[in-house]
Amino acid sequence: GENVEQHPSTLSVQEGDSAVIKCTYSDSASNYFPWYKQELGKRPQLIIDIRSNVGEKKDQRIAVTLNKTAKHFSLHITETQPEDSAVYFCAAPPEGTYKYIFGTGTRLKVLA
Amino acid sequence: EAQVTQNPRYLITVTGKKLTVTCSQNMNHEYMSWYRQDPGLGLRQIYYSMNVEVTDKGDVPEGYKVSRKEKRNFPLILESPSPNQTSLYFCASSLSGDPLGEQYFGPGTRLTVT
């Protein structure tokens, strides 16, 4: 069945450094790749997404890159700040199935 | 205010006692979904609904039921809860299921089954 692997499960970085989280998906029919941020005790919220007709998308300090051939996509956060500390989830819903498949999450800690 | 609401937010119950968690959205979204969140397992989809009267199983549907009689509501029913259903539950909605897009999540319901 469809599967999304997310690595690493935890990540600690110094404030100001960059963080990279990677997801690999199994279903080549996936064409939509969102990233969600979940702060402690809160609901997940979309921070950036990309569709398969583009290879990269940026929004200020965050960016997502997509490699459809290798079936992986990554979240990049530059100049990390303490408020970036959260759990991040990727997703790769296979087109046509209407299922939303999430990765297992990455807990990011930004150390001041 | 556009939002997804869930009730109750917290629930402690006993094994076998039927319960319903309600979910409502005011954004006229077609697609609604239920997820459970467990440590180390991420968000797993229980059921989803493409539109009124159209529902289908996600990855972990066992022990759960849903219904979509109205566009705005998508209740989750546990007919006979068991301790392994202790979890944090999120309802979510999207404008459409085809193509899939941003999910708007409710605040979550923390369920404990003893």
Side-chain angles (χ1 to χ4, degrees):
Chain A
E2 307 90 355
N3 187 44
V4 179
E5 292 188 2
Q6 183 172 344
H7 297 283
S9 57
T10 60
L11 178 60
S12 293
V13 298
Q14 288 295 134
E15 183 177 358
D17 287 351
S18 295
V20 182
I21 304 169
K22 182 176 176 179
C23 284
T24 304
Y25 59 98
S26 60
D27 195 320
S28 57
S30 297
N31 287 314
Y32 175 64
F33 308 94
W35 285 91
Y36 289 80
K37 176 183 180 182
Q38 185 181 27
E39 297 177 354
L40 190 62
K42 301 285 183 65
R43 71 193 78 187
Q45 290 189 293
L46 182 78
I47 54 171
I48 194 167
D49 56 9
I50 194 170
R51 296 204 180 261
S52 61
N53 55 344
V54 297
E56 183 176 359
K57 183 177 179 181
K58 284 184 181 178
D59 184 2
Q60 299 184 331
R61 295 186 298 108
I62 60 173
V64 56
T65 58
L66 171 63
N67 184 329
K68 280 222 81 179
T69 303
K71 292 194 280 188
H72 66 72
F73 57 109
S74 299
L75 177 70
H76 305 255
I77 306 174
T78 59
E79 300 172 23
T80 53
Q81 301 168 3
E83 53 264 37
D84 295 328
S85 295
V87 178
Y88 292 82
F89 293 99
C90 64
E95 197 163 289
T97 69
Y98 315 117
K99 285 186 175 182
Y100 221 97
I101 312 295
F102 282 93
T104 50
T106 297
R107 183 173 298 279
L108 174 64
K109 294 182 184 177
V110 179
L111 307 170
Chain B
E1 179 190 355
Q3 59 182 347
V4 179
T5 57
Q6 294 178 229
N7 282 292
R9 295 288 314 280
Y10 303 90
L11 180 59
I12 301 174
T13 189
V14 296
T15 299
K17 186 177 181 181
K18 181 179 178 179
L19 66 92
T20 299
V21 184
T22 65
C23 173
S24 184
Q25 51 91 7
N26 62 0
M27 296 172 279
N28 201 35
H29 283 174
E30 291 186 350
Y31 185 94
M32 296 186 75
S33 184
W34 277 102
Y35 301 89
R36 60 178 289 173
Q37 184 175 13
D38 302 289
L41 298 177
L43 291 158
R44 294 181 293 167
Q45 193 172 41
I46 302 170
Y47 270 94
Y48 63 91
S49 170
M50 290 287 289
N51 214 323
V52 175
E53 302 291 3
V54 182
T55 64
D56 207 347
K57 297 176 181 179
D59 282 341
V60 289
E62 297 78 17
Y64 305 94
K65 285 175 58 177
V66 293
S67 68
R68 187 95 180 271
K69 293 184 172 57
E70 306 165 283
K71 197 171 188 179
R72 62 184 295 126
N73 296 324
F74 190 45
L76 179 70
I77 303 156
L78 285 72
E79 294 268 3
S80 182
S82 62
N84 65 10
Q85 293 178 298
T86 292
S87 188
L88 178 59
Y89 291 87
F90 286 101
C91 179
S93 70
S94 286
L95 181 62
S96 170
D98 189 11
L100 280 169
E102 179 178 1
Q103 297 268 284
Y104 294 83
F105 284 84
T109 295
R110 188 165 292 281
L111 172 66
T112 301
V113 184
T114 61

